[in-house]
Amino acid sequence: MLTDLSRQTSHLHDATLIAAGGPPVATVGAAPGNDRAALLWHWIATNHFFNSSLWAEEDLARRTTVSDTEIAKNKRAIDKYNQARNDATERVDEILLTELGLVDAASAQTDSPVAKVPPNARLNSETAGSIIDRMSIMALKIHAMRAQTQRTDVDDSHRQSSAVKLDKLLQQRSDLGACLDALIADTQAGKAYFKVYRQFKMYNDPRFNPALVAERAASQGQA
């Protein structure tokens, strides 16, 4: 399940982008049963789907010849996809930490997961799930930059400068992958651990966003 995780993750990211012809990638089906390996890849793919959907919406949100209403729709979609992307990242961490024996399985999906810390292990500030999330974004950048190197409506200097940027992006993703594999290896050896970090995106929650709370209060006062 954890062997060669970075390479397999990059392959999934790239293959789905190629199959879709660019972002967004195809939607992910229903989550499988209790097979942790299948669940892990389901949530890695889900995270990539929402990152790719975010990417497509961010492009649309930069349009200058459409109505403000259209841009507002893009912004709302961006908020929705960003929340879902973070939720998927947390699912990835829950599964990995359970597999690694670093979290109490019964508490893994609660707001207060109980960490099981090996003696003398260092706490890694970045989680494995967050690295995988960053690798997804890197895959999107790589796909988009590679397309720039293949354009026929631009001059050679554009393609050449894009090729330089593409090489740098590939190196950056390789570095991220090496960090992911090293973190997994260190946790397996009892040298490191990470935790499930809840993002608590308050601006998306009508119970916590003060602007939405005020809107609701005003509407109830008018009722």
Side-chain angles (χ1 to χ4, degrees):
M1 176 177 173
L2 302 179
T3 303
D4 209 14
L5 182 58
S6 69
R7 186 192 65 80
Q8 293 185 68
T9 298
S10 292
H11 175 75
L12 181 151
H13 289 159
D14 290 343
T16 51
L17 279 167
I18 291 169
V25 302
T27 56
V28 181
N34 295 320
D35 181 337
R36 279 210 293 262
L39 278 170
L40 174 64
W41 291 110
H42 168 82
W43 286 112
I44 289 175
T46 299
N47 168 263
H48 190 47
F49 167 74
F50 285 117
N51 270 326
S52 70
S53 299
L54 267 169
W55 183 282
E57 289 292 335
E58 291 282 9
D59 279 347
L60 292 172
R62 268 68 179 179
R63 291 174 297 173
T64 59
T65 59
V66 299
S67 68
D68 290 347
T69 300
E70 288 299 311
I71 302 304
K73 289 179 181 178
N74 296 140
K75 174 57 179 171
R76 290 191 176 95
I78 286 167
D79 282 348
K80 180 181 71 173
Y81 292 143
N82 191 46
Q83 182 69 60
R85 158 221 176 189
N86 279 286
D87 291 345
T89 300
E90 292 179 13
R91 300 293 87 75
V92 170
D93 278 329
E94 290 163 6
I95 295 164
L96 287 173
L97 286 166
T98 301
E99 180 69 14
L100 291 163
L102 291 173
V103 69
D104 171 66
S107 69
Q109 294 191 25
T110 70
D111 285 348
S112 301
V114 178
K116 299 166 70 176
V117 182
N120 303 316
R122 62 176 175 81
L123 173 62
N124 205 71
S125 63
E126 186 171 33
T127 73
S130 65
I131 298 175
I132 289 170
D133 176 61
R134 291 173 64 193
M135 290 176 68
S136 167
I137 297 168
M138 290 302 303
L140 286 156
K141 291 182 178 182
I142 288 166
H143 183 89
M145 193 61 70
R146 182 173 283 115
Q148 293 298 314
T149 70
Q150 298 166 350
R151 286 177 61 182
T152 58
D153 62 328
V154 294
D155 58 23
D156 284 341
S157 64
H158 180 95
R159 288 189 291 269
Q160 290 167 4
S161 65
S162 297
V164 172
K165 293 179 175 66
L166 175 60
D167 286 343
K168 180 58 68 175
L169 290 169
L170 288 165
Q171 181 60 58
Q172 289 174 182
R173 180 171 66 172
S174 177
D175 291 345
L176 278 175
C179 289
L180 173 63
D181 290 338
L183 176 58
I184 294 297
D186 282 351
T187 58
Q188 289 175 315
K191 297 178 181 178
Y193 70 102
F194 58 97
K195 300 178 180 179
V196 178
Y197 284 123
R198 304 299 184 202
Q199 297 300 317
F200 298 126
K201 295 289 186 181
M202 297 174 70
Y203 57 79
N204 280 333
D205 193 326
R207 299 171 300 167
F208 296 112
N209 182 323
L212 296 180
V213 170
E215 276 190 348
R216 186 171 66 250
S219 66
Q220 289 172 347
Q222 294 171 359

